[in-house]
Amino acid sequence: MTNYNNFILSGRYELIRPLGQGQSGSVYLARQQSLKLDRAIKRFPKTDTLSGFAISEAQILKSVQHPGIPTIFDFEEDESYYYLVEEYIQGDSLEAFLLHQQSISQNLFLKFCEQLCDIFSYLHTLRPSPILYQDLKPEHIIVCGLQIKLIDFNVASFITSSGNDFNRFGNCDFSAPELYDSEEVTLASDIYSIGKIMEFMSCYLDASLTRSIQPIIQKAIHAEPTKRYQTVEELSAAIQKTGKNMGETHLRQTIAVLGSHPGCGCTHIALSLATAMNHLGMDAVYLERNSGNCLRKAVMQMEHVWERDGCYYNHGFRGCPKYDEGIEIPTPDAEVIIEDYGCNYCSANLATADKILYVCGGAIWHRDDAKPEDYLLNQFRDRLCVIANLCDHHSAVFFARKFSMPVYSYFYDTEIFHADKRKRDFVHWLSLEKGRNRLFFHLRNPFFRLLQK
């Protein structure tokens, strides 16, 4: 069907134009002649090894009736092709929809999450045989106004009493690890994929809202299936409960401190920052999120240090070291959480932060370790502050030009837990918002005027 003009399928469907090309077949816009209604027709070559998916998708969708799933109307064939006639869905994929958004609202995020859970709850509770979708990804979710639709059931499978015979195709970014490890595939595998979609959408949320939803996401995408939510209903209930609390004001602020390379001084700066903030009357706590064990080593060299509830205290300082897996210490109650990730960080770490400090080392041979093209740094650039640690003037200017933003040239400091004027000025710099206040501070400081040129 290279020339689809004037092609009439089964005497009822006139093909209008192609809509897309998939791995297993082509999709066309068609017009049902008698009812004058638009339809989507998927065409699968019979000679293709993947043509069996057309029959599988037809079998699955013929008994499915849900507003979030396209309706199947006909299944036709001729000598060369199978034709699956479906409801024509007009809208953008979730991926395309988000690419055109700078951010999405809390309500829209929750609405999409709840709709997705409702679709999967329906699939997982079908009788006599639940359906496992297996291939959830943003391209398979169509945004139609405020309603989402789940398309492409090519690799979906029935869960029967005689066992699970799954296709095990999926996709690398959003499918559960057991699909590729030859382990048992269960309904929790789809729950993992829902969690990954939530994580994908959360990048477009305000930081405080992202922080509220992160515990749910992390449980949903746990590598061990038994530690995830075991039903979509459980996941949906957690989302709804969190949604009620997300409207409340979040007073806690989180600062993530990262390093461009080991030994750049990000731990030193994070410890000093916690001390200075407490000295200024802010309730701040340092959390060690890397495996360097530097906090314990530091307190061994200090006097007047005491420990309580897993935290170390020393006058204006409060900090919690990283404990081994299995030891759970509740996050201390504080106005400001300073999380020291060192050089090991991921999207989930940065998505929950209100501010990100990226520390670059002063040695000339470490300049190339700073990577402004880093995907995660660019993804959260609106919260990024670049710190040039122990840099001379030329190195500071180099980093300012490399990142195309002002940098803070951090000074030589031997007293980590002493809050002198320079550290208080550093806190003041961090507290300024982008815009008029930050510009005013830079104009007062001739060093920052130079860096902005």
Side-chain angles (χ1 to χ4, degrees):
M1 197 169 58
T2 303
N3 182 12
Y4 53 86
N5 292 325
N6 301 318
F7 182 88
I8 307 297
L9 175 64
S10 302
R12 289 180 291 169
Y13 302 103
E14 178 186 0
L15 268 65
I16 300 173
R17 60 182 172 85
L19 293 175
Q21 177 71 41
Q23 182 180 7
S24 55
S26 305
V27 184
Y28 296 86
L29 175 64
R31 176 67 54 83
Q32 187 181 44
Q33 292 185 312
S34 60
L35 299 177
K36 306 298 182 184
L37 295 174
D38 289 338
R39 299 286 187 243
I41 295 184
K42 293 183 178 180
R43 186 196 66 173
F44 303 86
K46 286 187 172 181
T47 55
D48 197 305
T49 56
L50 298 177
S51 62
F53 291 136
I55 300 175
S56 175
E57 184 171 4
Q59 291 174 336
I60 287 174
L61 292 179
K62 67 180 181 181
S63 59
V64 169
Q65 292 184 338
H66 188 279
I69 301 173
T71 302
I72 183 171
F73 295 105
D74 277 310
F75 184 75
E76 305 285 350
E77 62 178 297
D78 57 24
E79 293 181 356
S80 304
Y81 298 99
Y82 294 114
Y83 302 92
L84 184 61
V85 183
E86 293 183 353
E87 175 187 359
Y88 173 51
I89 304 297
Q90 297 188 64
D92 292 324
S93 70
L94 180 63
E95 181 180 43
F97 175 81
L98 292 176
L99 283 175
H100 293 90
Q101 309 294 317
Q102 291 185 343
S103 64
I104 57 174
S105 69
Q106 165 191 325
N107 288 338
L108 186 60
F109 172 82
L110 293 173
K111 184 183 291 291
F112 284 173
C113 290
E114 290 170 9
Q115 288 181 14
L116 195 58
C117 285
D118 186 64
I119 293 171
F120 276 86
S121 177
Y122 172 81
L123 294 174
H124 288 183
T125 56
L126 275 175
R127 295 293 180 268
S129 299
I131 292 174
L132 186 65
Y133 183 77
Q134 298 190 81
D135 194 23
L136 186 62
K137 53 186 176 181
E139 301 96 296
H140 289 172
I141 299 171
I142 304 299
V143 179
C144 309
L146 297 179
Q147 173 72 44
I148 62 172
K149 300 265 190 178
L150 183 63
I151 64 170
D152 206 331
F153 282 71
N154 280 347
V155 300
S157 302
F158 287 109
I159 300 178
T160 65
S161 58
S162 60
N164 301 335
D165 183 18
F166 297 125
N167 296 314
R168 291 183 182 271
F169 279 88
N171 60 86
C172 295
D173 294 328
F174 295 89
S175 294
E178 56 265 24
L179 263 71
Y180 304 97
D181 295 339
S182 299
E183 298 178 2
E184 182 182 5
V185 180
T186 67
L187 297 178
S189 304
D190 272 349
I191 292 172
Y192 177 97
S193 297
I194 297 173
K196 294 297 288 186
I197 291 293
M198 292 174 62
E199 183 181 47
F200 178 76
M201 290 193 294
S202 71
C203 296
Y204 295 83
L205 278 175
D206 177 81
S208 60
L209 302 180
T210 307
R211 183 167 60 245
S212 299
I213 207 72
Q214 272 300 318
I216 296 177
I217 293 174
Q218 294 307 311
K219 182 174 181 178
I221 64 175
H222 200 287
E224 175 57 50
T226 59
K227 294 184 179 180
R228 300 173 199 152
Y229 297 99
Q230 294 305 292
T231 66
V232 180
E233 289 78 10
E234 287 181 27
L235 173 58
S236 180
I239 294 171
Q240 292 178 27
K241 181 179 179 180
T242 301
K244 293 178 182 178
N245 300 325
M246 284 171 74
E248 301 176 359
T249 302
H250 296 271
L251 299 178
R252 174 178 288 180
Q253 298 292 305
T254 302
I255 300 175
V257 185
L258 324 173
S260 64
H261 64 275
C264 66
C266 66
T267 294
H268 186 120
I269 290 175
L271 292 169
S272 297
L273 180 60
T275 302
M277 283 186 161
N278 281 313
H279 182 84
L280 289 169
M282 306 177 193
D283 183 18
V285 62
Y286 166 90
L287 300 184
E288 188 176 48
R289 299 301 197 192
N290 62 80
S291 56
N293 201 32
C294 293
L295 180 56
R296 289 189 180 90
K297 295 176 183 177
V299 299
M300 291 178 64
Q301 308 299 321
M302 297 161 52
E303 297 180 354
H304 311 297
V305 179
W306 65 95
E307 186 269 338
R308 183 174 71 245
D309 297 330
C311 277
Y312 291 113
Y313 294 80
N314 175 40
H315 299 300
F317 174 79
R318 179 167 53 135
C320 187
K322 180 178 176 61
Y323 288 93
D324 293 335
E325 188 174 353
I327 301 177
E328 294 187 6
I329 303 296
T331 301
D333 186 22
E335 293 178 8
V336 183
I337 304 293
I338 300 170
E339 298 184 295
D340 176 12
Y341 290 102
C343 300
N344 298 315
Y345 52 90
C346 64
S347 178
N349 305 146
L350 306 190
T352 61
D354 297 286
K355 196 175 293 291
I356 300 167
L357 310 188
Y358 187 65
V359 181
C360 305
I364 192 171
W365 51 86
H366 281 307
R367 285 184 176 182
D368 288 341
D369 293 324
K371 296 180 173 58
E373 70 279 3
D374 183 290
Y375 168 73
L376 291 181
L377 296 183
N378 279 310
Q379 187 177 0
F380 303 105
R381 188 178 175 86
D382 60 322
R383 311 172 208 169
L384 183 66
C385 297
V386 179
I387 314 299
N389 188 30
L390 301 179
C391 287
D392 60 19
H393 174 76
H394 294 293
S395 293
V397 171
F398 171 83
F399 288 124
R401 289 172 176 167
K402 189 170 186 177
F403 284 88
S404 300
M405 66 169 59
V407 305
Y408 190 95
S409 185
Y410 203 82
F411 43 86
Y412 180 70
D413 175 31
T414 59
E415 298 291 337
I416 300 178
F417 301 102
H418 177 66
D420 58 21
K421 182 180 182 302
R422 295 177 301 175
K423 293 177 186 174
R424 296 195 298 271
D425 287 344
F426 178 51
V427 174
H428 177 59
W429 182 79
L430 290 178
S431 68
L432 295 174
E433 298 178 350
K434 287 186 176 181
R436 185 183 61 180
N437 290 337
R438 175 167 286 195
L439 179 61
F440 173 71
F441 186 76
H442 290 160
L443 291 175
R444 289 192 305 165
N445 189 324
F447 179 69
F448 286 106
R449 286 207 308 270
L450 178 63
L451 295 189
Q452 286 183 302
K453 291 183 179 180

